[in-house]
Amino acid sequence: MAKKDFELTWKEIPVGSIVHEPGNASEYQTGDWRSQMPVLDKAKCVKCGICYRFCPEPCIVKDDEGYYVADLFYCKGCGICAYECPKDAITIVKEEH
Amino acid sequence: MSTLNTLQKLKDAGELFMPGHRACIGCGEVLAMRQVCKALGKDIIIANATGCMEIISSPFPTTNWNVPWIHALFENTAAVASGVESGLDAMRRKGRGPSQDVTVVAMGGDGSTFDIGLQSLSGALERGHNFIYVCFDNEGYMNTGIQRSSATPYGASTTTSPVGKNSIGQTTQKKDMPLIALAHHIPYIATCTPAHPTDLAKKIKKAKEIKGPAYIHVFSPCPTGWGTDSDVAIELCRLAVDTGVFPLGECVHGTYALTKHIKDLKPIRDYMKLQRRFRHLSDDVIDQIQAQVRAHYAVVRSKCGVVTN
Amino acid sequence: MAKRVGAEGSFAVAEAVRLADTDVVAAYPITPQTHIVERLSEMVADGELKANFIYVESEHSAMSACLGSAAVGARTFTSTAGQGLELMHEVLYLASSMRLPIVMAVADRALSGPLNVWGDHSDAMATRECGWIQYFGENAQEVFDLTLCAFKIAEHHDVLFPVMVHMDGFHVSHVVEPYLLPDKEELGDFLPPIDYPYPLDPNKPITMGAFAPPAVYSECRKAQDVAVNSTHGTIENVWNEFAKRFGRQYKPIETHKTEDAETILVSIGSFNQMAGVAVDKLRSEGKKVGLVRIRLWRPFPLQAFRQAVKSAKNVVVFERSMTYGGTVGPVCAEVKSALYGIKDAPRIMDFIGGLGGRDMSPKQFEALFKRAQEIFDKNLDIQYETIGVRE
């Protein structure tokens, strides 16, 4: 785990302020930006992966059964997956906070 | 943290740009960028201009990048990429540097491409560096709060081309950036959108294979700046292509081709009505824009050897 | 074996770049730097220098290309002057904050306007906050030696900062002088191959140029400030090693007849040559006067400078640029800041001249020494005077 910006002392700044750990921003949770979430109806899903193709995060990956599922840790709830799903298998549901 | 082992699965799927980035909800540009990166593959070095894609992906001490990436300034990305390419080339000749072939990629938005970075881009294209320049065109300075650029289309309302008693919004025509790139006689130029991912991947791969500079222009809808719902980025790309606003094509060693030929252009209204930035326009102005789009498409068609109606 | 050759400063710099087996040169022509890039172009065309020369379309792109080249680990050189250095300005900060070991020779030139292509230090002084190591050479031999050393210093893992080698436009860049040019054999292992530790490489992806929010920007700046201030030791070590091998010694602060001097002249760049002649003349007249030449300008050698002037009653600064609206010129401001508050601090007077290529003779330095005495003796409240302007 990388230290947070406000935790770093000047002595801990790497030469050139280089970030040496690839992809470490993935510790940041973007899922809490969300006010609505995608819900997959597995009965309609044909596992085509179009939702994954068009996910801007990307946060949609295959689960053990081969269904494409949004990881809610990252999903911002844009709804593109639902809009683009050729089988209308994804619905966007308002979330209560 | 996530429970689906998401990051590993994404890496296994060849994703080079990781989630947890700060792009707006439904951003079409970041979607386009990750498609471009995936098509490029991991043996790349990216020089990224200041702008949305830079700021959303690199809050020190973290990064969303899984590939070597350098950001310096707004207007110098093509020059930085020139140095990367020349440095690698010189070292390779002397038996140093990475052992594999490395593709050098410069990326910028329309602000850094059409406007402030046009000179450094022109220089890099003219010098013939073996690199790919990718312009993610969201038609304005979105990162600084939706100001007009020379890529903002006629009639669009932005914070610096606002609608007022004496103005309909942007009063100038969008600069034809791919044509400017073409004027450098570079071997490869293509236009793409994230709604046509197979086409996009094919063009990126072509750009990678062809030696010399390649210019890739990617249409990148911006829900925040264009005033759209968050789920229509892909729909907007499709409509932009199908209405003739953004023709999909390429030019290989001077030979033009439309990669998606639209026989019957959809009405421009279909595209505009999804966007708040055009909502103020009168029917007269929309008709005028419609005529311009058709005329422009006809020119493109004729260049591509397709007979106009 | 070293051979004695006659060449202008520009060509001497080019020879150093060639001997360093530089990988990439990215430069744009500008007077009075042009002879450097012309000579390097010839060397590349003849295969004497196996570098890629990037013929950029501006100095902004020159420095930007240098960033990219240095970031992949290539030995990188550029050169500019005056307006060119100003056009690079914002990129210079990136080179230092990213810790990229770029070497740049600057044929110092006046800044517009009015347009003037001749020598002074306006450009060098405008870049003094950019985080580069900056030092000055006064003749062909010095700029050759110091350019060679610049690669070794910049690329040293305890340094990793870009280095600017300054030489006064025309007075050094274009004056033909004899100098000793060593060959590869004599160079030996003085300059090892570049081994930049953090190159952009797909086999080990890093992110360079991440943005720092307010929560960490200050820490980044402090880290850089401490790092540049801790390069003094390496700079001196490299110069000492150079002296051992080639017999020519460079120091951050160099002195001439200062031991018992009551008045010390302080100067920088090619002024030193004339000031030195003036000091010898004044000494022959019995005046207790000496000269301190500031060779290393950034990071400023504070302790060495204090040591060099500590016994003087008077310090007279000569410099080649103005600070519009400031209290004194930039060199004098540094000098005052360095000496303020020390015990028995000397009185300080600043003379600004040699602007835009205006020649200065040793006689003028003698006269100004006397003018300074007058100002000190009469206790006049004068901070600086501009030399030789028609009233």
Side-chain angles (χ1 to χ4, degrees):
Chain A
M1 282 275 275
K3 277 197 178 184
K4 300 274 183 282
D5 54 7
F6 57 84
E7 294 169 337
L8 286 169
T9 69
W10 69 265
K11 288 179 185 164
E12 294 170 312
I13 303 294
V15 170
S17 304
I18 290 170
V19 183
H20 291 275
E21 194 186 340
N24 62 353
S26 292
E27 289 165 15
Y28 181 67
Q29 181 175 1
T30 50
D32 56 11
W33 297 15
R34 206 172 55 238
S35 61
Q36 53 181 18
M37 62 186 277
V39 176
L40 177 69
D41 180 351
K42 290 186 178 175
K44 289 184 183 171
C45 176
V46 293
K47 303 179 181 176
C48 67
I50 282 177
C51 52
Y52 154 66
R53 260 189 166 187
F54 292 140
C55 175
E57 303 315 317
C59 71
I60 298 178
V61 289
K62 264 191 201 176
D63 70 5
D64 295 341
E65 297 169 76
Y67 291 106
Y68 286 86
V69 186
D71 184 338
L72 296 179
F73 185 81
Y74 298 116
C75 174
K76 295 171 187 163
C78 68
I80 292 178
C81 53
Y83 194 102
E84 297 301 327
C85 177
K87 298 292 174 191
D88 292 330
I90 304 170
T91 42
I92 296 295
V93 179
K94 285 265 174 262
E95 283 179 279
E96 299 295 326
H97 283 286
Chain B
M1 282 297 280
S2 69
T3 52
L4 292 164
N5 199 12
T6 307
L7 300 176
Q8 193 53 49
K9 286 177 182 171
L10 290 169
K11 280 179 205 165
D12 293 345
E15 298 291 346
L16 303 173
F17 186 74
M18 292 290 109
H21 59 74
R22 275 78 161 170
C24 297
I25 299 174
C27 173
E29 184 173 3
V30 78
L31 169 52
M33 189 175 73
R34 88 159 172 89
Q35 288 184 2
V36 167
C37 291
K38 194 177 168 182
L40 285 164
K42 66 174 181 51
D43 288 333
I44 55 175
I45 293 175
I46 297 176
N48 205 149
T50 309
C52 287
M53 293 304 99
E54 169 266 324
I55 211 83
I56 60 112
S57 68
S58 68
F60 180 81
T62 66
T63 179
N64 292 93
W65 293 98
N66 271 354
V67 286
W69 182 91
I70 179 171
H71 156 251
L73 291 164
F74 199 5
E75 72 278 42
N76 68 347
T77 308
V80 173
S82 303
V84 168
E85 189 261 355
S86 284
L88 288 176
D89 181 61
M91 290 198 301
R92 191 178 303 116
R93 275 205 317 268
K94 297 179 187 181
R96 289 153 44 213
S99 50
Q100 71 271 52
D101 276 343
V102 177
T103 303
V104 179
V105 186
M107 291 179 177
D110 51 281
S112 65
T113 306
F114 286 60
D115 291 343
I116 197 166
L118 184 59
Q119 175 181 320
S120 83
L121 172 59
S122 174
L125 296 181
E126 176 270 328
R127 290 190 297 271
H129 294 279
N130 187 22
F131 83 122
I132 305 174
Y133 188 95
V134 187
C135 169
F136 294 104
D137 178 9
N138 62 13
E139 305 193 320
Y141 292 97
M142 302 318 187
N143 188 40
T144 41
I146 316 160
Q147 290 87 24
R148 60 86 69 188
S149 74
S150 64
T152 305
Y154 181 80
S157 177
T158 71
T159 57
T160 53
S161 63
V163 183
K165 278 183 198 152
N166 298 319
S167 177
I168 59 149
Q170 176 90 337
T171 52
T172 51
Q173 296 294 336
K174 179 169 178 167
K175 202 185 266 183
D176 198 335
M177 195 54 221
L179 262 189
I180 292 173
L182 267 169
H184 294 79
H185 309 297
I186 59 174
Y188 190 68
I189 285 168
T191 56
C192 324
T193 94
H196 307 81
T198 313
D199 173 78
L200 179 145
K202 220 162 92 185
K203 286 168 175 170
I204 293 290
K205 286 187 176 129
K206 215 180 265 185
K208 210 175 146 175
E209 279 158 21
I210 292 176
K211 208 169 155 44
Y215 175 83
I216 308 287
H217 196 112
V218 189
F219 191 73
S220 308
C222 172
T224 310
W226 296 5
T228 72
D229 290 342
S230 66
D231 58 358
V232 294
I234 295 299
E235 176 70 9
L236 284 165
C237 290
R238 269 193 299 266
L239 285 167
V241 171
D242 294 347
T243 54
V245 165
F246 189 83
L248 276 185
E250 64 182 4
C251 183
V252 192
H253 294 297
T255 306
Y256 297 77
L258 276 175
T259 47
K260 187 165 192 238
H261 177 214
I262 313 298
K263 266 197 183 137
D264 299 305
L265 295 178
K266 282 190 176 168
I268 187 82
R269 278 184 176 76
D270 291 1
Y271 168 70
M272 293 174 102
K273 71 184 178 197
L274 296 177
Q275 307 176 52
R276 202 163 51 237
R277 60 177 177 159
F278 295 122
R279 200 158 288 170
H280 57 283
L281 296 178
S282 67
D283 283 344
D284 285 354
V285 175
I286 293 175
D287 289 343
Q288 189 190 330
I289 294 171
Q290 177 71 78
Q292 282 166 352
V293 167
R294 282 187 193 280
H296 177 250
Y297 196 78
V299 171
V300 173
R301 261 203 257 189
S302 68
K303 269 195 184 147
C304 297
V306 179
V307 182
T308 51
N309 301 327
Chain C
M1 268 298 287
K3 57 179 177 180
R4 198 169 177 79
V5 295
E8 47 181 71
S10 298
F11 283 20
V13 167
E15 290 297 341
V17 174
R18 180 184 61 79
L19 265 183
D21 190 21
T22 302
D23 296 314
V24 171
V25 178
Y28 187 81
I30 181 169
T31 305
Q33 152 268 33
T34 41
H35 290 184
I36 299 175
V37 294
E38 287 171 3
R39 185 70 196 101
L40 287 172
S41 296
E42 287 172 359
M43 287 173 171
V44 171
D46 288 339
E48 294 169 43
L49 170 60
K50 290 178 177 49
N52 281 337
F53 197 132
I54 313 178
Y55 294 96
V56 284
E57 80 299 331
S58 73
E59 287 89 354
H60 195 282
S61 285
M63 186 45 63
S64 302
C66 286
L67 295 184
S69 163
V72 293
R75 182 167 282 165
T76 304
F77 175 83
T78 186
S79 178
T80 191
Q83 302 306 128
L85 192 59
E86 282 302 283
L87 188 55
M88 283 180 182
H89 196 90
E90 64 162 345
V91 199
L92 298 177
Y93 287 85
L94 271 297
S96 58
S97 70
M98 290 176 155
R99 308 287 299 274
L100 297 170
I102 298 159
V103 172
M104 171 158 64
V106 181
D108 288 299
R109 159 182 158 171
L111 295 177
S112 297
L115 174 67
N116 177 293
V117 301
W118 292 271
D120 76 22
H121 291 166
S122 302
D123 55 358
M125 293 303 145
T127 54
R128 69 192 191 276
E129 323 294 358
C130 293
W132 284 53
I133 293 168
Q134 291 178 279
Y135 54 64
F136 286 74
E138 298 168 21
N139 55 45
Q141 185 72 65
E142 289 192 4
V143 293
F144 171 82
D145 295 349
L146 292 169
T147 303
L148 206 53
C149 290
F151 288 105
K152 193 175 169 82
I153 292 167
E155 295 166 7
H156 196 288
H157 287 196
D158 293 341
V159 176
L160 294 177
F161 275 104
V163 177
M164 257 184 246
V165 182
H166 291 281
M167 56 177 169
D168 289 35
F170 292 108
H171 285 104
V172 180
S173 65
H174 284 57
V175 172
V176 176
E177 290 168 294
Y179 77 105
L180 286 170
L181 171 63
D183 57 21
K184 279 249 176 216
E185 202 177 319
E186 198 183 355
L187 184 69
D189 58 0
F190 175 73
L191 183 60
I194 183 169
D195 177 28
Y196 179 65
Y198 316 111
L200 293 169
D201 182 342
N203 302 306
K204 195 177 181 304
I206 55 167
T207 288
M208 267 183 168
F211 79 91
V216 72
Y217 180 79
S218 303
E219 282 71 19
C220 293
R221 297 299 264 194
K222 161 106 183 174
Q224 187 181 332
D225 185 47
V226 171
V228 77
N229 274 315
S230 56
T231 60
H232 283 291
T234 310
I235 295 170
E236 286 186 59
N237 287 344
V238 169
W239 285 347
N240 292 341
E241 190 187 330
F242 183 88
K244 257 190 216 153
R245 197 177 287 241
F246 298 100
R248 293 181 292 277
Q249 178 74 57
Y250 297 99
K251 289 181 184 166
I253 296 293
E254 293 170 14
T255 57
H256 177 62
K257 300 185 178 171
T258 52
E259 293 76 24
D260 60 340
E262 286 177 7
T263 298
I264 286 181
L265 313 185
V266 174
S267 190
I268 192 163
S270 70
F271 263 12
N272 282 322
Q273 310 252 320
M274 267 76 69
V277 175
V279 164
D280 292 346
K281 177 81 189 315
L282 290 163
R283 277 280 176 181
S284 72
E285 294 167 7
K287 304 280 195 301
K288 286 189 166 180
V289 57
L291 172 67
V292 164
R293 9 159 72 99
I294 299 173
R295 179 168 305 285
L296 179 63
W297 170 239
R298 283 289 181 273
F300 190 76
L302 178 65
Q303 296 310 332
F305 181 79
R306 282 183 175 166
Q307 188 66 25
V309 300
K310 68 174 183 201
S311 55
K313 287 185 187 148
N314 307 314
V315 164
V316 185
V317 178
F318 297 96
E319 58 181 315
R320 298 191 74 181
S321 80
M322 281 187 167
T323 299
Y324 289 130
T327 51
V328 286
V331 177
C332 187
E334 198 74 27
V335 165
K336 282 193 167 179
S337 162
L339 300 182
Y340 180 79
I342 65 165
K343 197 165 170 282
D344 301 323
R347 297 176 294 188
I348 301 168
M349 178 61 197
D350 188 22
F351 290 108
I352 296 171
L355 300 179
R358 182 79 63 94
D359 281 331
M360 284 272 293
S361 66
K363 273 203 164 17
Q364 277 175 293
F365 283 92
E366 289 167 40
L368 290 167
F369 163 77
K370 285 163 191 162
R371 170 65 184 151
Q373 292 301 326
E374 184 190 355
I375 289 166
F376 293 140
D377 292 346
K378 291 183 180 166
N379 236 340
L380 300 177
D381 186 19
I382 296 172
Q383 309 303 314
Y384 70 95
E385 284 185 347
T386 310
I387 307 167
V389 287
R390 291 178 293 278
E391 298 291 342

